[in-house]
């Protein structure tokens, strides 16, 4: 649903554990004085919340009336329609009972206006809703997004029982995909807008056939032309579909304002603090993957951004639209543009957004910035309860905002801790009461009044009525068009423009309006309903001082491709100042489909004056063969700086021409202050076949490579030119580089070039300590060929038990390694406790079958008095008691382990074990200790000549003595002359049967305590 991240309740535990004693807590922290079970109660939820001045929050509904709301809509009666999802991602939550009848669409109603729902009914329940992440209620129509399906329910008579269910789209992601299809919205242009995340992959129609856009492109994530997450728009009958933005990761919803502008959030790859808010510039690429190759953002490239949150979106690439706001770490969910007047003025006309990870509702007030926008972050509602996971926001007819709360310790359905809770809150001014409004949609005046309402269902019904009325509605709409509220005027204009014989005058008046947003939407209206006259209108406004209007004019030329369009584009391009990336990208989007034609028109107009800062931008951005020799000339300029040098070389990646290599090769012969860098970058960009056939370049290559060997630039050249004779140098780079990313790249390149034997020979030349260091480095390489080599070594019966354990742990650190461990386990190629260790490593895999196979193997081993313990995957979702767990630790574990200077120094110090291991690993370490022996804590049996045996682990060993650390913490120095034999123990020195001895309840409490150990300071617990 939200973010692929497992939080369990560790965040809550750390906050809870570090609080001072309750009697000393300040008054505003009264929520934190409650016990954890009290904190979970809905009647205490409001005490954890703080709203911005001028607003209050009410609890509209809670369990047992609803659970797990993923999305919602509010109808014209003020009723809340809820996607209530129990079975969502159930394969990842085997401890959650399945709802056999399927999940539900609920209707919640406040019948007395007190701001609390008092009536619930089920609109529909079925197994086809088990991945339901979106709902739109639009008159008689209810459009539901439930991957892999989009369904439309029709309630003709308004009795809240659907007479018809139609399948609109199929094949959108998997049945448990939370990066797939999301909610539909209605735009004032009369079209539907929706999106899917990067696991949506494609759209199929109800018969399973590929859906194509209005220009004949198949809607599929393959780079031809679209990638990853996409934003769509279509007619209300789902025809004339367009992809209006692409290359997102998990764009959860798209919000459309009255002017027709699109806004949405997007989720980053976990842990990279790159979540973002986007203004969706039509047809833009948003940079999650390399636009040309589909390479991930982690892939090295020329001009790589310094900061990961920027690198994450390829923001230095020509052809990537800027981000409006980057919001750091997060799990962004539902979003809206608030166009009511009930909330404070600062929120009117602005985005309001749910951020589940940060437990907050935010607003993002924006203002114009050239051809684009800039914005800020304002917290509207914040909770101290880390189980507050807002999943959606919606506007009610009275202008209040309702917030859906998934309510869980984790974010989304991954290992969710709770399936019995869910809440909805209402945000409104302090004294406001929830009002049910009525409109007369049988009259033009009543419909125009309804059109001004901020609620989407009411807007939709009013819009449809007014369009149906046509000329009869003109007078009432014209009054609204003359109002002072620009967003109300915009809604009127969208419909006035459709009145036969009347629309043209309104649109032409709007093009000259004082409000810049009205001007912009006027051009959007022309594109929508009067495209045959589009170029004539663009010629009239191309020199407007309104940069947003010029942006829209550039975008409008994208599908034209005529000489007149090329001339207009060139005129717009000549106005680029070199200071506005938004405008530059709008020009690029407008030119991309006809780049050669448009660029030639600009080149003719600019003449010899093409080396200004602004003109260099055009050369850099437009993907045409015409710009390649110009780029070469820019690089050859002796005054070029390092930043521009890398920027221009990166641009070659996006341009193609038959003579591209010849043009690039010119740079190897120039005289330049930065000649070394230019030659290195050029060799990294030339085609391999071209270099093979050019003796002069091969000679330069021989000269340059030794001087840069082992650097990132050297690696790029080796990879680009397929220099397989550099295998030994690749191995040396892998061994010597301190950069983990370069280590991995070197190893992957080495095996791609067939250098597996070099790795094997090097391994065989090492002693055991060096083998451990070598394979620890190799274990970070997520590559099937490397993983297979590690697996062969793990199977090797000649290797020590400690080394084989280490190899299995190395394999468990990568996706490919975890999958190969499953193969080894199923083929029974691992022996003894190494099998158990492999299964434990598999528990960390995100792939269901791998994790389940590991869980199945382990569940056969643990038992308590003949009664099997639950699998680890179930145990991690159970909440224990920290204080009780500490008592268990002191009773059973303190004889071998220390925590915060207390206990015995025998096994590893556990003072910060909660930072190091997740709960699943803690359970595994206790239940299967022999599979997870720390390196350095391997047990030995020392058989003495006097027929006695000592057990422990070796602290040190010299030529004459061996020092053994024994249970209880005592150390004993033994003369080697006294030793008869020394045996490595297959079993852990830790009590193998601890879990069965202490039982399920105490095991859960013990893990809860260990998970809370984050710092070496003494923890004060309630």
């Amino acid at each position: 649903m939200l973010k692929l991240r497992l939080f369990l309740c560790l965040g809550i535990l750390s906050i809870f554990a570090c609080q001072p004693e309750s009697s000393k807590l300040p008054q505003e922290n009264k929520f934190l004085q409650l016990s954890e079970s009290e904190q979970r109660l809905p009647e205490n939820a409001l005490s954890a919340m703080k709203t911005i001045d001028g607003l209050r929050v009410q609890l509209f509904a809670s369990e047992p009336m609803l659970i797990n709301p993923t999305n919602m809509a509010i109808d014209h009666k003020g009723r809340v329609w809820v996607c209530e999802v129990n079975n969502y991602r159930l394969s990842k939550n085997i401890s959650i009972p399945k709802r056999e009848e399927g999940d539900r669409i609920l209707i919640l109603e406040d019948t007395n206006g007190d701001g609390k729902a008092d009536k619930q009914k089920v609109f529909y329940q079925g197994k086809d809703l088990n991945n339901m992440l979106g709902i739109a209620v639009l008159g008689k129509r209810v459009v539901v997004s439930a991957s892999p399906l989009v369904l439309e329910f029709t309630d003709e008579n308004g009795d809240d029982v659907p007479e018809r269910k139609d399948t609109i789209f199929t094949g959108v992601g998997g049945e448990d995909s939370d990066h797939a299809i999301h909610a539909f919205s209605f735009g004032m242009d009369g079209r539907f807008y929706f999106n899917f995340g990067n696991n949506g992959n494609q759209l199929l129609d109800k018969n399973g056939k590929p859906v194509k856009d209005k220009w004949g492109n198949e809607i599929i994530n393959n780079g031809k032309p679209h990638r990853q997450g996409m934003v769509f728009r279509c007619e209300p009958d789902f025809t004339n579909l367009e992809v209006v933005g692409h290359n997102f990761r998990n764009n959860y919803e798209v919000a459309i304002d009255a002017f027709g502008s699109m806004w949405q959030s997007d989720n980053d790859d976990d842990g990279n603090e790159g979540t973002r808010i986007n203004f969706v510039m039509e047809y833009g690429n948003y940079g999650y993957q390399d636009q040309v190759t589909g390479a991930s953002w982690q892939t090295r490239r020329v001009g790589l951004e310094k900061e990961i949150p920027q690198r994450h979106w390829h923001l230095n690439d020509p052809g990537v639209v800027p981000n409006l706001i980057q919001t750091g770490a997060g799990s962004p969910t539902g979003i809206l543009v608030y166009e009511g007047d009930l909330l404070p003025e600062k929120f009117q006309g602005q985005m309001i957004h749910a951020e589940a990870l940060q437990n907050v509702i935010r607003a993002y007030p924006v203002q114009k910035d050239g051809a684009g926008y800039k914005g800020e972050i304002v917290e509207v509602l914040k909770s101290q309860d880390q189980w507050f996971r807002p999943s959606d926001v919606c506007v009610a007819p009275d202008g209040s905002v309702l917030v859906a709360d998934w309510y869980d310790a984790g974010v989304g359905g991954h290992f969710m801790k709770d399936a019995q809770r869910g809440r909805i809150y209402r945000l409104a001014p302090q004294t406001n009461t929830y009002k049910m409004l009525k409109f007369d949609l049988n009259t033009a005046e009543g419909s125009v009044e309804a059109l001004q309402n901020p609620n989407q269902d009411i807007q939709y019904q009013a819009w449809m009525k007014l369009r149906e009325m046509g000329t009869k509605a003109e007078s009432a709409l014209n009054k609204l068009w003359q109002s002072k509220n620009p967003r109300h005027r915009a809604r009127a204009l969208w419909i006035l423009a459709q009145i036969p014989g009347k629309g043209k005058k309104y649109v032409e008046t709007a093009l000259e309006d004082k409000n810049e947003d009205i001007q912009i939407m006027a051009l959007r209206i022309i594109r929508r309903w009067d495209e045959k006259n589009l170029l004539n209108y663009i010629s009239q406004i191309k020199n407007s001082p309104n940069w947003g209007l010029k942006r829209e004019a550039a975008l409008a030329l994208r599908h034209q491709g005529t000489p007149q369009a090329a001339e207009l584009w060139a005129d717009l391009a000549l106005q680029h100042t070199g200071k506005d990336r938004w405008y530059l990208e709008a020009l690029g989007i407008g030119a991309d489909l006809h780049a050669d034609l448009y660029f030639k028109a600009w080149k003719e107009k600019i003449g010899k004056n093409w080396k200004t800062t602004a003109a260099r931008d055009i050369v850099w951005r437009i993907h045409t063969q015409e710009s390649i020799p110009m780029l070469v000339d820019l690089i050859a300029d002796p005054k070029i700086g390092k930043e521009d040098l890398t920027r221009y070389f990166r641009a070659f990646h996006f341009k193609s021409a038959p003579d591209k290599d010849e043009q690039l090769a010119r740079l190897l012969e120039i005289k330049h202050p930065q000649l070394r860098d230019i030659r290195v970058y050029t060799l990294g960009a030339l085609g391999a076949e071209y270099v093979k056939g050019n003796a002069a370049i091969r000679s330069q290559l021989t000269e340059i490579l030794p001087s840069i060997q082992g650097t990132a630039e050297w690696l790029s050249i080796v990879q680009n030119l397929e220099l397989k004779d550099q295998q030994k140098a690749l191995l040396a780079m892998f061994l010597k580089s301190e950069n983990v990313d370069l280590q991995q790249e070197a190893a992957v390149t080495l095996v791609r070039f067939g250098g597996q034997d070099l790795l094997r020979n090097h391994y065989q030349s090492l002693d055991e300590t060096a083998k451990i260091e070598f394979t620890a480095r190799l274990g970070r390489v997520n590559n099937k060929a490397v993983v297979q080599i590690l697996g062969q070594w793990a199977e090797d019966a000649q290797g020590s038990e400690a080394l084989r354990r280490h190899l299995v742990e190395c394999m468990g650190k990568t996706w490919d390694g975890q999958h190969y461990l499953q193969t080894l386990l199923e083929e029974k190629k691992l022996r003894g406790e190494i099998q158990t260790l492999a299964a434990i490593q598999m528990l960390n895999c995100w792939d269901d079958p791998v994790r389940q196979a590991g869980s199945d193997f382990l569940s056969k081993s643990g038992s308590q008095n003949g009664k099997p313990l639950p699998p680890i995957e179930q145990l991690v979702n159970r909440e224990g008691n920290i204080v009780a767990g500490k008592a268990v630790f002191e009773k059973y574990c303190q004889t071998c382990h220390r925590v915060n200077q207390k206990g015995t120094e025998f096994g590893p110090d556990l003072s910060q074990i909660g930072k190091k291991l997740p709960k699943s690993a803690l359970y595994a370490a206790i239940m299967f200790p022999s599979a997870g022996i720390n390196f350095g804590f391997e047990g030995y049996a020392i058989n003495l000549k006097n027929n006695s045996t000592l057990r422990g682990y070796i602290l040190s060993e010299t030529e004459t003595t061996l020092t053994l650390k024994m249970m209880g913490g005592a150390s004993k120095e033994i003369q080697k002359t006294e030793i008869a034999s020394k045996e490595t123990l297959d079993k852990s020195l830790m009590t193998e049967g601890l879990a069965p001895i202490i039982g399920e309840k105490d095991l859960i409490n013990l893990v809860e305590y260990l998970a809370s150990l984050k710092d070496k300071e003494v923890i004060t617990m309630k």
Side-chain angles (χ1 to χ4, degrees):
M1 161 190 148
L2 313 172
K3 185 148 186 144
L4 301 182
R5 186 175 303 216
L6 176 60
F7 281 90
L8 299 171
C9 58
L10 298 185
I12 295 172
L13 290 171
S14 60
I15 287 180
F16 178 63
C18 296
Q19 294 301 319
E21 294 180 6
S22 59
S23 61
K24 298 179 181 179
L25 286 168
Q27 184 62 34
E28 59 266 25
N29 285 337
K30 60 183 180 180
F31 174 79
L32 299 178
Q33 300 178 48
L34 301 172
S35 68
E36 190 168 344
S37 60
E38 290 172 331
Q39 289 177 354
R40 302 287 81 82
L41 298 175
E43 55 263 35
N44 292 324
L46 298 182
S47 66
M49 293 183 168
K50 183 178 180 180
T51 62
I52 199 163
D53 290 345
L55 293 180
R56 69 164 174 167
V57 59
Q58 295 173 279
L59 183 62
F60 181 83
S62 65
E63 66 275 9
M65 183 174 278
L66 78 157
I67 61 168
N68 297 358
T70 59
N71 201 255
M72 64 180 176
I74 303 175
D75 67 16
H76 65 286
K77 300 176 182 178
R79 303 183 305 171
V80 181
W81 295 58
V82 179
C83 297
E84 187 197 53
V85 180
N86 178 86
N87 294 346
Y88 162 63
R89 296 189 71 83
L90 202 63
S91 63
K92 305 199 182 298
N93 295 284
I94 56 178
S95 64
I96 304 297
K98 185 176 182 180
R99 182 186 275 164
E100 294 298 335
E101 301 85 357
D103 283 327
R104 309 190 296 180
I105 299 171
L106 302 180
I107 304 175
L108 308 182
E109 187 174 2
D110 172 13
T111 61
N112 58 13
D114 66 352
K116 296 181 181 180
D118 48 54
K119 183 178 180 181
Q120 180 232 61
K121 64 174 67 174
V122 178
F123 176 75
Y124 178 83
Q125 182 172 19
K127 296 178 181 179
D128 47 3
L129 299 185
N130 285 352
N131 196 34
M132 182 169 44
L133 296 180
I135 184 169
V137 178
L138 303 167
K140 299 176 181 179
R141 309 172 68 177
V142 180
V143 182
V144 177
S145 305
S147 288
L149 304 174
V150 173
L151 303 171
E152 182 178 46
F153 298 88
T154 304
D155 179 10
E156 292 287 356
N157 58 12
D159 64 351
D160 299 327
V161 178
E163 286 79 34
R164 194 169 73 245
K165 180 181 74 171
D166 297 302
T167 300
I168 307 302
F169 298 121
T170 64
V172 195
E175 293 185 357
D176 64 352
S177 175
D178 51 12
H179 283 223
I181 196 74
H182 294 132
F184 282 63
S185 298
F186 176 71
M188 282 292 112
D189 60 353
R191 291 181 281 197
F192 286 175
Y193 290 76
F194 62 104
N195 56 20
F196 67 44
N198 65 324
N199 199 32
N201 194 41
Q202 70 178 127
L203 288 181
L204 304 177
D205 67 15
K206 63 182 180 181
N207 298 313
K209 295 181 178 179
V211 174
K212 296 183 178 180
D213 69 14
K214 63 187 293 185
W215 297 286
N217 300 305
E218 190 173 321
I219 305 301
I220 188 170
N221 168 23
N222 63 2
K224 301 177 182 180
H226 307 116
R227 292 194 183 280
Q228 299 299 299
M230 305 178 200
V231 183
F232 307 97
R233 105 181 133 205
C234 61
E235 300 299 332
D237 62 357
F238 306 104
T239 61
N240 286 332
L241 191 140
E242 299 175 70
V243 177
V244 289
H246 75 115
N247 216 354
F248 300 94
R249 181 178 181 263
N250 191 21
N251 38 330
Y252 195 78
E253 277 187 347
V254 58
I256 305 90
D257 65 23
F259 307 113
S261 295
M262 296 173 283
W263 313 84
Q264 69 173 16
S265 62
D266 192 18
N267 196 347
D268 67 342
D269 288 341
D270 299 344
N272 292 287
E273 299 187 345
T275 58
R276 58 180 176 170
I277 303 297
N278 292 119
F279 163 60
V280 183
M281 194 184 293
E282 286 188 41
Y283 313 120
N285 160 43
Y286 283 80
Y288 177 49
Q289 286 189 343
D290 183 300
Q291 183 181 356
V292 176
T293 66
S296 82
W297 60 270
Q298 295 101 327
T299 302
R300 271 190 317 104
R301 52 190 182 267
V302 176
L304 193 69
E305 298 84 348
K306 293 181 180 178
E307 301 293 332
I308 286 179
Q310 285 74 43
R311 189 183 308 165
H312 198 288
W313 307 115
H314 288 85
L315 291 178
N316 284 353
D317 283 1
V320 174
V321 179
N323 294 329
L324 173 61
I325 305 172
Q326 293 208 207
T327 55
S331 297
T333 50
I335 193 170
L336 60 84
V337 176
Y338 184 76
E339 295 185 331
D341 57 12
L342 182 66
L343 299 192
E345 186 176 356
K346 69 174 72 176
F347 303 127
Q348 295 175 19
Q350 304 295 349
M351 287 173 277
I352 296 178
H353 175 237
E355 171 45 72
L357 175 62
Q358 300 294 341
N359 323 108
V360 68
I361 302 296
R362 292 171 174 159
Y364 305 109
V366 300
Q367 52 185 297
K368 293 179 177 63
D369 183 26
Y373 301 88
K374 58 184 178 182
E376 59 178 318
I377 300 173
V378 177
E379 291 191 349
V380 180
L381 171 66
K382 176 74 174 176
S383 179
Q384 292 176 294
D385 186 354
Q386 289 191 316
W387 284 45
F388 174 61
R389 304 294 185 186
S391 56
D392 199 16
V393 284
C394 284
V395 183
D398 70 346
S400 60
V401 170
L402 274 72
V403 176
D405 179 9
W406 166 266
Y407 202 80
D408 204 286
V411 183
H414 303 274
F415 306 102
M416 58 183 172
K417 189 176 179 67
D418 179 272
Q420 302 303 316
R421 297 179 175 93
R423 286 93 190 258
I424 294 176
Y425 301 94
R426 179 175 179 265
L427 277 169
Q430 292 289 343
T431 58
N432 181 264
T433 57
Y434 197 47
K435 297 177 182 177
M436 310 301 129
L437 306 179
K438 292 185 178 180
F439 299 95
D440 183 1
L441 297 184
N442 295 313
T443 68
E445 290 74 16
S447 296
V448 166
E449 181 185 1
L451 189 67
Q452 300 169 62
N453 193 273
N455 173 262
Q456 185 172 120
D457 183 26
I458 294 174
Q459 291 174 10
Y460 171 82
Q461 294 192 51
W463 196 98
M464 291 296 178
K465 284 288 187 181
L466 289 165
R467 188 184 65 169
E468 181 184 328
M469 292 177 189
T471 305
K472 296 179 182 178
E474 182 182 6
S475 176
L477 283 167
N478 187 52
K479 289 181 182 179
L480 185 59
W481 168 238
Q482 302 300 325
S483 73
K484 294 182 179 181
N485 187 320
R487 294 176 186 265
H488 291 172
R489 295 180 65 217
R491 294 178 195 169
L493 182 61
W494 283 110
I495 304 173
L496 286 168
Q498 299 178 71
I499 297 177
K502 303 289 183 73
K504 183 176 180 180
K505 70 174 183 179
Y506 288 107
V507 174
E508 291 181 347
T509 300
L511 274 176
E512 299 178 355
D513 198 88
K514 293 180 180 179
N515 185 286
E516 291 187 347
D517 290 317
I518 294 291
Q519 295 174 19
I520 289 169
M521 70 164 291
L523 185 58
R524 289 172 175 164
I525 288 172
I526 293 167
R527 291 176 58 197
R528 174 92 164 103
W529 288 302
D530 193 14
E531 191 169 12
K532 66 179 183 297
N533 292 313
L534 175 62
L535 297 184
N536 292 333
Y537 283 113
I538 290 178
S539 67
Q540 296 173 30
I541 55 92
K542 65 182 180 181
N543 296 314
S544 168
N546 180 352
W547 283 98
L549 183 60
K550 285 189 280 199
R551 174 197 74 219
E552 294 297 314
L555 297 173
L557 294 172
R558 178 175 174 85
H559 294 99
Q560 301 305 308
T562 65
Q564 183 187 1
E567 291 293 314
L568 290 171
W569 184 89
D571 289 338
L572 290 167
L574 288 171
Q575 297 177 62
H576 174 54
T577 64
K579 299 179 180 179
D580 191 338
R581 179 69 183 272
W582 294 97
Y583 189 61
L584 178 63
E585 287 304 327
L587 291 168
I589 294 167
D592 278 342
L593 300 182
H594 310 282
D596 289 347
L597 177 65
Y598 287 15
F599 190 82
K600 285 179 181 178
W602 171 82
K603 189 177 176 182
E604 289 177 6
K605 291 197 175 195
I606 201 167
K608 296 181 179 180
N609 191 33
W610 65 271
K611 290 189 177 181
T612 64
T613 300
R616 289 171 185 240
D617 276 356
I618 303 296
V619 173
W620 172 78
R621 169 58 183 88
I622 307 307
H623 305 326
T624 169
Q625 62 181 354
E626 290 284 323
S627 65
I628 292 175
M630 300 170 79
L631 263 181
V632 171
D633 288 345
L634 291 177
I635 291 171
D637 184 346
K639 296 180 181 179
I640 189 174
K642 183 65 176 284
E643 184 175 340
D644 279 338
L645 183 66
T646 56
R647 182 172 182 253
Y648 294 149
F649 267 105
R650 177 61 179 166
F652 283 118
H653 179 70
F654 301 91
K655 302 173 190 291
S656 60
D659 66 343
K660 177 179 174 180
D661 285 331
E662 286 84 351
Q663 293 289 344
L664 271 168
R666 287 199 290 132
L667 292 169
L668 296 174
E669 306 301 331
I670 65 173
K671 294 182 180 181
H672 197 284
Q674 300 184 70
L675 182 58
R676 176 193 172 279
D677 287 341
I678 288 174
R679 287 180 175 176
V680 168
Y681 291 142
T682 301
L683 291 169
L686 285 169
E689 292 302 316
Y690 180 79
V691 171
K692 287 178 184 178
N694 191 306
I697 294 178
R698 291 202 310 274
S699 177
Q700 286 201 27
L701 190 62
T702 302
E703 175 189 339
I704 290 172
L705 281 180
S707 67
I708 61 172
Q709 184 172 319
T711 66
E713 292 80 7
W714 174 84
L715 184 56
S716 293
I717 294 172
V718 170
Q719 293 168 333
N720 182 54
L721 300 181
E722 297 282 323
L723 302 179
K724 296 184 179 180
D725 61 346
Q726 298 293 311
Q727 290 184 21
K728 289 184 178 179
L730 284 166
L731 176 60
M733 184 178 187
F734 169 68
L735 296 172
K736 295 177 183 179
S737 176
E738 296 303 318
N739 184 303
V740 174
D741 294 333
L742 291 180
Q743 289 174 22
Q744 295 188 48
E745 271 197 72
V748 170
T749 307
L750 176 59
V751 297
R752 183 162 63 87
F753 288 177
Q756 287 89 331
D757 284 344
L758 277 178
L759 291 172
R760 294 188 183 100
N761 293 337
H762 181 77
Y763 175 81
Q764 295 299 337
S765 71
L766 303 174
D767 62 26
E768 182 161 313
T769 301
K771 283 179 177 177
I772 286 173
E773 182 180 346
F774 172 62
T775 52
R777 185 172 285 225
L778 203 58
R780 292 192 286 261
V781 181
N782 189 39
N783 176 274
K784 290 181 179 178
V786 171
V787 163
Q788 287 176 358
I789 293 172
L790 291 171
Q792 291 166 3
W793 293 335
E795 293 177 54
D796 183 8
Q798 302 303 314
S800 74
E801 191 79 6
L803 180 57
R804 289 200 300 274
R805 280 198 299 268
H806 168 75
L807 287 163
V808 167
E809 288 173 349
C810 287
M811 295 170 69
K813 296 181 187 300
T814 64
W815 174 270
D816 286 330
Q818 292 160 348
H819 283 73
Y820 196 62
L821 285 175
Q822 181 184 9
T823 300
L824 294 176
L825 196 63
E826 291 174 348
E827 294 179 358
K828 298 183 179 179
K829 292 184 176 180
L830 300 175
R831 298 181 294 112
E833 292 295 336
I834 299 295
Q835 299 177 81
T836 305
L837 176 58
I840 291 170
Q841 303 303 312
M842 289 159 57
L843 292 180
N844 295 319
C845 186
W846 280 107
D847 196 7
D848 292 345
V850 176
R851 231 179 47 251
Q852 189 62 53
S855 178
D856 290 345
F857 183 89
L858 294 174
S859 65
K860 298 174 183 177
S861 303
S863 65
Q864 177 191 348
N865 298 325
K867 179 183 176 183
L869 286 166
I872 291 175
E873 284 194 325
Q874 290 186 22
L875 290 169
V876 295
N877 290 315
R878 301 194 180 168
E879 185 178 349
N881 182 286
I882 294 175
V883 175
K886 184 180 181 184
V888 176
F889 179 86
E890 291 171 347
K891 181 177 181 180
Y892 292 103
C893 311
Q894 202 161 275
T895 55
C896 292
H897 297 279
R898 292 168 69 90
V899 168
N900 298 328
Q901 308 303 315
K902 294 181 180 180
T904 301
E905 189 177 356
F906 176 66
D909 189 302
L910 302 180
S911 297
Q912 299 184 77
I913 194 66
K915 279 185 177 179
K916 298 175 182 177
L917 297 181
K919 279 189 174 180
S920 58
L922 291 170
Y923 276 112
I926 297 169
M927 295 169 69
F928 311 103
S930 296
I933 304 170
N934 285 18
F935 187 66
F937 288 89
E938 301 89 355
Y940 288 87
I942 309 299
N943 301 310
L944 301 179
K945 292 179 179 179
N946 63 5
N947 293 324
S948 64
T949 299
L950 302 175
R951 286 179 172 81
Y953 61 87
I954 298 172
L955 277 180
S956 66
E957 187 172 4
T958 69
E959 291 183 4
T960 58
T961 63
L962 180 151
T963 303
L964 193 69
K965 188 83 166 184
M966 295 182 295
M967 194 75 73
S971 298
K972 181 175 180 61
E973 186 175 272
I974 307 168
Q975 296 297 316
K976 286 191 172 180
T977 56
E978 300 175 17
I979 299 175
S981 63
K982 180 177 68 172
E983 298 176 16
T984 303
L985 298 176
D986 289 336
K987 299 290 185 180
S988 170
L989 292 169
M990 175 179 166
T991 304
E992 188 74 32
L994 177 63
I997 290 170
I998 65 176
E1000 180 179 336
K1001 182 177 179 181
D1002 279 348
L1003 175 62
I1004 293 170
N1005 291 336
L1006 174 60
V1007 170
E1008 199 76 51
Y1009 169 67
L1010 294 173
S1012 74
L1013 298 176
K1014 302 298 181 71
D1015 300 294
K1016 290 198 173 183
E1017 292 82 15
V1018 176
I1019 297 176
T1020 302
M1021 290 175 292
K1022 187 174 175 181

